[in-house]
Amino acid sequence: MDSGSIAFLVLALLVMWGGLFLATVYLTLRPEPTAWPPGAEDDLTEDELDWHPDE
Amino acid sequence: MATKAKPKSTTGIDGRPQWSGQVGFIISAIGSAVGLGNIWRFPGVAYENGGGAFLIPYLVALLTAGIPILFLDYAIGHRFRGSAPLALRRVKRWLETLGWFQVTICVVIAIYYAAILAWAISYFVFSFNQKWGDDTGGFMYGSYLHLADTPGFSFDFVAGVLIPLALVWIAVIVVMALGVAKGVEKANIVFMPTLAIAFLILVIRSVFLPGAKDGLNAFFTPDFSKLGDPDVWIAAYGQIFFSLSIAFGIMITYSSYRKHRANQTTPGLVVGFANSSFELLAGIGVFSIVGFMAHEQNVAVADLSGLKGVSLAFVTFPKVISQMPGSALFGALFFGSLFAAGFTSLTSILQVIMAGIQDKFKVSERNSALMVGVPLAVVSLLFFGTTTGLYVLDVMDNWANNIGIIISAIIMTICVLWVAGKYKELAFHLSSLSTFKVKWTWLVLVGIFSPLLLIYMFGQVMYNLIKSGYDPSSYTRAFEFKAGWLVFILMVAASIVMTFVRWKEDPDKFEAWPGFTGKEF
């Protein structure tokens, strides 16, 4: 491959795949805000409430 | 103490269907965005518009219009918690018509999109013995589609298309009837990893084919002179716009199924970049294979034609697949990927229609799947199971995408943000619930830059349509009127009629959360 096309291949991979990687890492590290506005309690359907003690 | 999994509720506290969690939402949103356009449109558009240099306007378009409008969709759907008609009505009562217009766009797209899936599944089967033979164009348009000599509307049905098309509709109705969490989300959880693995195998194999580097050179070699051409920038914005499933109700509907306390913008970044990452992967795979084809025919890549759309997938690719070692596997991987990408997108398109019906008439997910799916299947079979299906599809696609979605986006950005004055409220909503905050930059991009650009794009499309028609070498003006403008007029009429149909429950008895007084932003 030509050097120009290799450069653009690498650049595109870095920006798009890098963007995906960084966004995923950012979401993993900070999945939720530190505080929610008051009100609107949700039910037990989302990830964090998936498991509970057997009664 | 022993523990066991608590069965997840599939509805939230407000009675709306709900994703099983953030991961389920993200995978489903990616499944919606990654569709046929990623595989057969992006590589050809990039190649025609400057190769490697196209990636510059493409990335600018992703960051300045694609992701900002995606955030706007999320904000509307999540804050006003409804299908496109319900959520937009809650923004301003008269905007319900725009919501129904987005639903009608989905109706039109769904009926022809299913036909392409039927072709893909047929070709998946044909791959095992390369039934298409040496004359792949003759096979596709002749032996398979029995394409009529002249465009029009016929009722000469083609059994080879009709049967797989009926099967696609049965499969998708079953998935939709199972609901958001158990149907749509589960389908995405099965199809998306399968698609990723199958496509990755395809791409890795293709880059080692003889001639692949010539294809990649053609794809990535930058032609910087193209950057001065406004049409190249318009092409980049068009690609991002159509590829991300924005401004026609899908992301409004999907975000309305998230719990109240849900991070909005950061998952949006993941979805936006995942979609572009898949497009890049498709570009690498497609042009490696195109390079192989040029190598086999001993011609330059520039001399090849049919590098985009239906002809790329169903004429050019089968020809290349036949020449490859392990052609049956290669064919199955390619057409299986095409089907998987399209199926998850089709479920998202249908969800927009079903959600509108569920909200308006308070019917269950199962009943709405039948109420929506069966009539659409009948129309789809009548129009696209015939010898003229491809002609109708081509014209309808142009009007639904290039006119319908652009109009919808222009009205949505201007009316929601400025006429209804919701710009501060929606920015506040996104920022107060997300870890990636939006401020004035987002508002300028989504409220000023994007509408101006969309108006320019729309003007250009209309100018070309009025001046010379959509495709004067293939279609008469009369046919374009019937399959294009008439369908568009029907879409507008249906949107107005649906607005006046009475809601089963008062849609305006609703309070947005978190509360906003105007001083928070």
Side-chain angles (χ1 to χ4, degrees):
Chain A
M1 282 176 73
D2 302 338
S3 54
S5 44
I6 291 173
F8 268 82
L9 168 64
V10 173
L11 181 73
L13 283 171
L14 276 178
V15 175
M16 293 184 205
W17 286 85
L20 175 61
F21 176 76
L22 289 178
T24 309
V25 169
Y26 187 69
L27 181 64
T28 309
L29 294 177
R30 299 185 64 189
E32 291 180 345
T34 46
W36 297 104
E41 293 290 334
D42 283 295
D43 61 6
L44 306 181
T45 60
E46 288 259 1
D47 304 323
E48 73 277 12
L49 297 169
D50 195 9
W51 291 80
H52 74 118
D54 199 2
E55 301 200 1
Chain B
M1 185 184 287
T3 61
K4 69 174 183 182
K6 177 185 182 293
K8 286 184 177 183
S9 165
T10 54
T11 55
I13 48 171
D14 51 6
R16 283 194 79 67
Q18 197 162 338
W19 303 110
S20 68
Q22 183 147 271
V23 174
F25 164 72
I26 290 173
I27 290 177
S28 303
I30 294 172
S32 170
V34 171
L36 301 173
N38 296 59
I39 298 173
W40 78 20
R41 193 173 187 273
F42 172 76
V45 170
Y47 175 65
E48 285 171 0
N49 291 284
F54 178 77
L55 297 170
I56 294 171
Y58 175 84
L59 287 169
V60 172
L62 173 68
L63 298 174
T64 58
I67 289 176
I69 297 179
L70 184 68
F71 286 176
L72 175 65
D73 272 348
Y74 283 179
I76 294 170
H78 190 257
R79 182 161 186 81
F80 297 102
R81 303 199 73 74
S83 56
L86 179 59
L88 286 166
R89 181 193 167 98
R90 284 171 173 170
V91 172
K92 265 285 179 255
R93 199 182 172 100
W94 47 269
L95 276 174
E96 183 186 335
T97 309
L98 173 63
W100 287 113
F101 182 65
Q102 295 186 345
V103 170
T104 61
I105 292 172
C106 291
V107 167
V108 172
I109 295 176
I111 57 173
Y112 72 71
Y113 211 83
I116 303 170
L117 294 193
W119 304 346
I121 204 71
S122 298
Y123 269 68
F124 175 81
V125 176
F126 299 159
S127 300
F128 293 99
N129 61 354
Q130 284 93 60
K131 194 178 172 183
W132 47 71
D134 296 327
D135 179 12
T136 53
F139 177 82
M140 171 67 181
Y141 302 120
S143 311
Y144 180 61
L145 290 180
H146 295 280
L147 191 63
D149 293 334
T150 50
F153 300 91
S154 86
F155 289 103
D156 296 332
F157 292 102
V158 182
V161 178
L162 212 56
I163 294 166
L165 183 52
L167 293 175
V168 166
W169 276 107
I170 291 168
V172 82
I173 288 171
V174 168
V175 168
M176 304 311 292
L178 289 170
V180 170
K182 290 179 180 167
V184 176
E185 184 181 320
K186 286 269 163 51
N188 277 282
I189 285 171
V190 171
F191 277 114
M192 290 314 290
T194 311
L195 170 66
I197 293 166
F199 211 75
L200 205 58
I201 294 170
L202 188 75
V203 172
I204 290 169
R205 177 68 187 91
S206 64
V207 294
F208 291 105
L209 288 167
K213 70 176 173 52
D214 298 326
L216 292 174
N217 266 333
F219 184 56
F220 283 106
T221 299
D223 177 1
F224 291 109
S225 67
K226 293 266 190 182
L227 292 180
D229 182 353
D231 288 346
V232 170
W233 287 83
I234 294 298
Y237 276 91
Q239 176 60 32
I240 280 293
F241 202 71
F242 300 130
S243 163
L244 264 179
S245 298
I246 48 180
F248 62 109
I250 293 178
M251 291 302 159
I252 290 180
T253 309
Y254 270 25
S255 61
S256 77
Y257 298 140
R258 301 203 66 199
K259 65 173 185 170
H260 287 88
R261 295 180 172 189
N263 192 348
Q264 300 292 298
T265 55
T266 319
L269 292 175
V270 174
V271 172
F273 279 108
N275 179 60
S276 292
S277 297
F278 189 86
E279 283 195 325
L280 181 65
L281 195 67
I284 293 170
V286 166
F287 270 83
S288 297
I289 292 169
V290 165
F292 171 72
M293 184 178 172
H295 175 268
E296 291 295 296
Q297 295 180 4
N298 208 19
V299 295
V301 172
D303 296 331
L304 295 173
S305 59
L307 301 182
K308 209 168 76 174
V310 172
S311 59
L312 171 74
F314 296 101
V315 177
T316 306
F317 256 70
K319 191 180 285 179
V320 186
I321 286 165
S322 294
Q323 296 165 347
M324 285 175 154
S327 51
L329 175 67
F330 241 113
L333 283 175
F334 177 73
F335 289 109
S337 298
L338 206 60
F339 179 79
F343 191 84
T344 50
S345 298
L346 180 61
T347 57
S348 68
I349 292 163
L350 286 171
Q351 191 61 43
V352 175
I353 311 166
M354 281 175 47
I357 298 295
Q358 284 165 23
D359 286 344
K360 189 99 184 183
F361 302 109
K362 284 290 160 200
V363 289
S364 67
E365 290 176 303
R366 185 174 301 179
N367 288 345
S368 67
L370 293 172
M371 282 171 68
V372 168
V374 173
L376 289 190
V378 171
V379 175
S380 178
L381 289 163
L382 283 175
F383 277 108
F384 303 103
T386 68
T387 55
T388 50
L390 179 61
Y391 297 129
V392 182
L393 184 154
D394 187 29
V395 176
M396 270 192 184
D397 175 54
N398 182 64
W399 260 259
N401 273 301
N402 289 337
I403 296 179
I405 298 180
I406 293 183
I407 287 179
S408 165
I410 292 170
I411 297 174
M412 189 174 80
T413 48
I414 293 175
C415 291
V416 171
L417 295 171
W418 303 120
V419 180
K422 295 288 182 185
Y423 60 99
K424 281 186 179 177
E425 184 176 341
L426 293 174
F428 160 75
H429 184 87
L430 289 173
S431 288
S432 61
L433 299 182
S434 306
T435 50
F436 180 82
K437 311 292 181 192
V438 299
K439 281 280 179 183
W440 289 103
T441 311
W442 174 71
L443 281 173
V444 169
L445 289 174
V446 78
I448 299 172
F449 178 76
S450 294
L452 289 176
L453 188 93
L454 287 161
I455 289 168
Y456 178 79
M457 282 170 71
F458 181 66
Q460 197 186 44
V461 168
M462 287 301 288
Y463 175 77
N464 289 334
L465 271 180
I466 291 166
K467 189 180 161 205
S468 48
Y470 164 55
D471 184 358
S473 62
S474 304
Y475 308 117
T476 62
R477 285 288 182 125
F479 179 71
E480 288 187 3
F481 176 78
K482 286 177 202 159
W485 287 117
L486 194 59
V487 170
F488 180 79
I489 291 166
L490 286 172
M491 287 162 61
V492 175
S495 311
I496 294 168
V497 169
M498 284 304 290
T499 307
F500 287 102
V501 173
R502 197 180 173 85
W503 289 81
K504 183 96 174 174
E505 278 181 15
D506 183 5
D508 304 319
K509 220 170 85 182
F510 167 81
E511 196 171 329
W513 176 86
F516 180 75
T517 61
K519 294 174 186 163
E520 292 86 344
F521 187 74

